[in-house]
Amino acid sequence: MGTMDIEIKLQNTKTRKKEVFEPINASNVRMYVCGPTVYDRAHLGNARPVVVFDVLFRLLREVYGTAEVTYARNFTDVDDKINARATESGRQIGDITAETTQWFLDDMGELGALQPDHMPRATEYIPQMVAMIGNLIAKGHAYAAEGHVLFAVDSWKESYGKLSGRSVDDMIAGARVEVAPYKKNPMDFVLWKPSTDDLPGWDSPWGRGRPGWHIECSAMSYELLGGTFDIHGGGNDLMFPHHENEIAQSCCANGDDSFARYWLHNEMLQVEGKKMSKSLGNFFTVRDLLDQGYPGEVIRLVFLQTHYRKPMDWTDKKAKEAEATLRKWRALTAGIEPASSAAAAVLAALADDLNTAGVIAELHKLAAAGDAAGLLASANLLGLLTEEMGAWAAGPSVDLSGYEESLFKARQNAMETKDFSEVDRLKAALIEAGLEVRMSKAGVELVPGPGFDPAKLEAL
């Protein structure tokens, strides 16, 4: 069991309020998060909800107990983007989705994300989706037309749009909805669509076809967590239409108005102050950054410095600072046993709608106070300073003071002789080894950067 006397508060998108989290059943706490569509490497934006909800998963386990919490996150492995990728590459769809699913798990593992208890793949739950669609038709919430099955938004008009705060009429006015002759209302959305012979397809009462995107999460969450569960999360780009449509389907199919009780949405990610896009050249996959020498633990700490409901800006400067912080903390906690639990102030900040920025401020205080055991236990709760995450920092710890001294002396010399060639040579060699060189009147400070290679210093 966990420490259930802690009160968790979460900002519920559904009510627009921060609410005290009260699980339906404290010994069976359930969370569902929308996972990736697997056709390529996960980009930095895809990683944000993974890290955010990993932190919530860790907090729930801390408070309610590991065995009492169930976390499900799906893989969308049937999708038009995957079909297009298969067509252009000439590869089998199953090969592409198997490979990209493993890439996702490997890359997220490097960011310290625990694997959810359930990771359902859409293609494994087609019969459940077909059954749910049949149920919606039987209850008058869906209709078949020209090989398609569509959800009838009018059948649930008074509730549709509550999550995103829009009315159906507003949505129609401002929507870029797919116009199709077989739709009764332009907002009706696809539950099932026909497949041609060259596309993945399954037999159904409406002919050979494949599910629409939204139905998969409704069918899988119902199967794994039940008709009503505690938390549903995802990026705020999914609020409409994906989550709105999930609520409509699930409430109508299950015959009640509950489904998920708390809805959490994380904000989007930028790179160096701009929206990430291939055209701006600031589009990174997680693997790109790992390959460039940014350790997963550093990426994780940068993510956690921003509250999940604020837009997050990934910058190289933040990464360098995070790396320096982690090296300091790792040096302080080396060989130390963690305290029996995280510091009370850390738990309080985390329980306040996942205030990770507040938690990190508390970690800095623990480090400043020299409380290595408290720092370690508290950082571990956030998935930081763990043994698994430490390989990057475990390289030989190099004493840089000698190099700092010789550069400082060379600089003093150069001031007198006006010949800066030796200073430039040393500085270039240190930068080449992956060190950031900070020079001031007071002295020289060398800060190891993401690609620091101590072997390159031997030439000096």
Side-chain angles (χ1 to χ4, degrees):
M1 287 302 290
T3 41
M4 279 171 63
D5 49 340
I6 291 163
E7 183 176 81
I8 299 176
K9 288 184 177 159
L10 300 171
Q11 177 76 23
N12 190 350
T13 309
K14 198 168 150 186
T15 58
R16 311 272 183 287
K17 287 201 286 273
K18 196 194 279 193
E19 298 177 344
V20 173
F21 174 66
E22 290 174 354
I24 299 160
N25 173 356
S27 56
N28 182 17
V29 181
R30 288 156 290 167
M31 172 165 78
Y32 186 93
V33 173
C34 291
T37 300
V38 282
Y39 63 98
D40 209 341
R41 285 272 181 198
H43 62 68
L44 216 47
N46 302 138
R48 192 173 191 200
V50 174
V51 173
V52 166
F53 291 103
D54 181 63
V55 170
L56 179 53
F57 183 37
R58 288 168 184 271
L59 174 65
L60 293 171
R61 284 163 49 127
E62 179 76 12
V63 173
Y64 295 97
T66 304
E68 284 68 28
V69 179
T70 306
Y71 173 19
R73 185 187 65 217
N74 69 307
F75 283 108
T76 296
D77 61 349
V78 50
D79 181 270
D80 291 340
K81 285 187 177 127
I82 302 171
N83 301 339
R85 183 57 52 97
T87 306
E88 71 196 33
S89 67
R91 295 179 65 198
Q92 292 294 316
I93 285 172
D95 293 347
I96 292 174
T97 58
E99 177 180 63
T100 46
T101 298
Q102 195 53 52
W103 281 349
F104 182 84
L105 292 174
D106 292 346
D107 294 351
M108 297 308 122
E110 295 244 7
L111 301 187
L114 301 168
Q115 289 205 357
D117 303 291
H118 298 290
M119 295 187 284
R121 298 202 309 274
T123 50
E124 296 170 340
Y125 287 81
I126 303 287
Q128 289 88 339
M129 295 179 211
V130 169
M132 189 174 247
I133 294 168
N135 181 5
L136 286 167
I137 292 176
K139 290 182 173 170
H141 292 296
Y143 57 94
E146 297 183 26
H148 293 73
V149 181
L150 293 119
F151 182 88
V153 167
D154 287 340
S155 73
W156 206 58
K157 197 167 183 176
E158 63 293 339
S159 299
Y160 190 75
K162 275 193 180 154
L163 182 72
S164 51
R166 321 171 182 203
S167 75
V168 174
D169 299 331
D170 287 349
M171 287 191 264
I172 292 173
R176 292 175 300 191
V177 287
E178 192 189 346
V179 179
Y182 46 77
K183 283 188 181 184
K184 292 180 181 173
N185 174 327
M187 292 308 298
D188 291 351
F189 57 89
V190 171
L191 301 172
W192 188 263
K193 52 188 170 185
S195 285
T196 52
D197 291 343
D198 57 334
L199 290 173
W202 289 263
D203 290 330
S204 82
W206 318 287
R208 183 176 177 277
R210 58 197 194 279
W213 173 34
H214 315 296
I215 193 71
E216 65 174 89
C217 288
S218 286
M220 294 192 288
S221 63
Y222 180 78
E223 195 65 25
L224 295 167
L225 304 177
T228 307
F229 53 92
D230 299 299
I231 297 170
H232 194 312
N236 66 355
D237 55 329
L238 298 179
M239 199 185 301
F240 184 85
H242 186 51
H243 291 161
E244 201 72 75
N245 292 352
E246 272 187 63
I247 293 172
Q249 298 159 166
S250 292
C251 290
C252 292
N254 304 337
D256 61 25
D257 197 17
S258 45
F259 192 41
R261 294 181 42 179
Y262 299 84
W263 285 82
L264 270 71
H265 291 94
N266 63 277
E267 250 292 351
M268 296 294 98
L269 174 132
Q270 302 169 319
V271 171
E272 302 288 351
K274 296 189 174 71
K275 189 179 175 199
M276 190 164 76
S277 75
K278 287 187 169 143
S279 61
L280 287 173
N282 67 348
F283 180 92
F284 295 108
T285 66
V286 173
R287 180 52 52 188
D288 290 337
L289 286 185
L290 293 167
D291 288 348
Q292 284 168 28
Y294 293 95
E297 188 174 30
V298 169
I299 299 172
R300 184 180 183 91
L301 180 56
V302 173
F303 274 34
L304 297 178
Q305 285 168 350
T306 305
H307 191 271
Y308 77 93
R309 285 190 294 105
K310 293 197 169 117
M312 193 208 118
D313 191 16
W314 168 271
T315 68
D316 187 53
K317 182 171 180 278
K318 282 186 192 173
K320 288 200 165 79
E321 286 165 2
E323 172 157 1
T325 297
L326 286 166
R327 282 190 189 279
K328 240 181 251 158
W329 288 353
R330 281 196 170 273
L332 184 65
T333 55
I336 298 272
E337 280 296 305
S340 56
S341 71
V346 164
L347 271 166
L350 204 52
D352 181 16
D353 195 32
L354 302 185
N355 179 7
T356 52
V359 171
I360 289 163
E362 293 298 335
L363 295 181
H364 280 295
K365 283 184 203 166
L366 290 166
D371 181 356
L375 172 64
L376 188 54
S378 302
N380 286 172
L381 176 61
L382 272 189
L384 296 168
L385 304 189
T386 59
E387 279 177 35
E388 308 84 68
M389 294 286 276
W392 68 274
S397 61
V398 184
D399 180 7
L400 297 170
S401 56
Y403 298 102
E404 290 172 341
E405 204 175 312
S406 44
L407 182 57
F408 186 63
K409 280 189 177 150
R411 190 158 172 259
Q412 280 178 317
N413 241 349
M415 293 298 212
E416 290 166 22
T417 64
K418 300 283 180 270
D419 175 6
F420 280 83
S421 56
E422 178 60 6
V423 173
D424 293 340
R425 186 191 75 81
L426 280 172
K427 196 175 161 189
L430 293 165
I431 291 169
E432 168 61 22
L435 291 164
E436 191 184 331
V437 180
R438 296 177 186 171
M439 290 202 273
S440 66
K441 283 180 186 151
V444 172
E445 191 190 358
L446 298 176
V447 182
F452 175 49
D453 179 3
K456 289 188 177 169
L457 291 174
E458 287 165 16
L460 285 170

